[in-house]
Amino acid sequence: MKSPSFYPLLIGTLFFALLINAQATGERPNILFCIADDASMKSFGAYGDTFVNTPSIDSIARDGVVFNNAYNGNPKCSPARACILTGKYSWQLKEAADHNGRFPSEFRTYPQLLSEVGYDVGFTGKGWGPGVYDTADNPAGPEYSSIKLIPPYKAISDVDYAANFEYFLNKKDPNTPFCFWLGAKEPHRAYELDSWKKAGRQLKEATVPPFYPDNDIVRGDLLDYANEVEWFDTQVGRAIKILEEKDLLKNTMIVITSDHGMPFPRVKGQIYEEGFHIPLIVYWKGKILPGRTVNDFVSFSDLAPTFMEVVGAEPHPQMTGGSLVKQLLSPNSGQLDPTRDHVLLGKERHDVGRSNQDGTDLAYPVRAIRNDSMLYVHNIKPERWPVGNPEFGYLNCDGSPTKSYLTNLKQGDREYFLFEMNFDKRPEHELYNIQKDPHCITNLANLPEYAVQVKELRFQMESELRAQGDPRTLGNGDVFDNYIYYGKRLDYSTGQRINAIKYTKQGTDK
């Protein structure tokens, strides 16, 4: 009689054989990569959300694999997306490590590489950005965004993502595989205020994180956000239906994610759990066993080498992430690779509006390590304001009703501690027990009983960062402050944003 472990092993072996056979016979898989703009992991039903409805994505999750420990590497749009495209870690991206910087032309992207091995590539909506690039196309590929629609709410983009995807499919060579980036511009701000009322929602539906006040303003803001996440789900559902109608679903790998957490204080752009812990769901009919979950720690830098291996091509030498094909094709759930037990995170300059005696437009450099139980954060320049200087409006936080409520609190107000939690300066070292404190409320770093743990985590983190050539850890971090910012700069004499630099090609933001 065969042992119980024999059959899963046999299934996994057969899956790998199918993949190799498909590559040998020229039946290379298509890839549909769907990415939301500013949607938190908990905003998808597959991760247990209670007030955002995402039936299309949840269906894909049930029929595919859900990664429970996926991270973006840097919780801001353009650096996170650059990690996806290049297969590199954030601190290896040079100018692209900064938000609204220049995408270095020396970096090869997976869409470019797949195009060179016979794939039709394209994107709709938001590709890489915001920032500047020197190639003819956006780093995500040639753009298909000309087909428009009338959105259900004023602030939603009028780009018909699914229709543009269909146009791309109709236009491409039917005999070649494709790799398409469906980049929604939702739920990026701004939102139509009180759109939740149009949707027939009730304020009691919202789940308020403990670092916000629980009031009608915040609840309404969260429900307006939920409407836009649901729009992304609608577009993904339409794209899947198009694949079904064209009989392409059977050989298309679908990947669903978001670049970082929701555009709210203490989330987007911040090194806390909801900012960098992202959804990652993958469907591949006949290759990925349905209903699986993977607990291995994975990062955006792992996606490009995964796509290269899936299509039967060698990862580019610049790619420092590792392929996830083993995790995709395994018949098992849980922890599959014991070496994937942690992930490194970082940030440099996100938005302007931060200055001190050293200069203007400075980064707020952070490096962090997250394992199964703990998050250690090193705020390298704690004398700087983490969300931007108060006199310039805390510009590394999108404007919103929630932000306005918090920043209008005054010392002595009962809820002033919530303002401090979201916008005040931070200590050099932070340590959180993620299992007991998933919202990162209680900093343990200065407690004597955690001193050894802080020392060990910092040593592990910095050893790996040095091996990866991180300029900040090697003592050359000011290079990130000196890269040009290509967005709307600040006139520090007036506090007004201005277009200070002219350029011809740029990534798009909402």
Side-chain angles (χ1 to χ4, degrees), residues 420-493:
E420 294 176 309
M421 191 180 298
N422 283 273
F423 294 100
D424 209 354
K425 289 184 178 180
R426 295 169 187 162
E428 180 177 0
H429 304 287
E430 297 179 79
L431 182 71
Y432 299 98
N433 185 323
I434 294 297
Q435 298 302 321
K436 297 180 180 179
D437 181 21
H439 295 290
C440 304
I441 302 298
T442 304
N443 182 14
L444 307 173
N446 292 325
L447 297 180
E449 58 265 38
Y450 290 96
V452 172
Q453 202 160 10
V454 167
K455 184 178 180 180
E456 290 176 346
L457 286 170
R458 182 176 181 181
F459 178 80
Q460 179 186 4
M461 176 185 76
E462 292 184 347
S463 297
E464 294 183 23
L465 289 170
R466 279 191 291 270
Q468 294 169 10
D470 173 24
R472 184 68 68 178
T473 306
L474 293 171
N476 303 316
D478 288 346
V479 65
F480 296 112
D481 284 327
N482 295 325
Y483 288 134
I484 295 173
Y485 182 88
Y486 287 91
K488 288 188 175 182
R489 303 182 69 84
L490 253 177
D491 181 337
Y492 282 88
S493 64

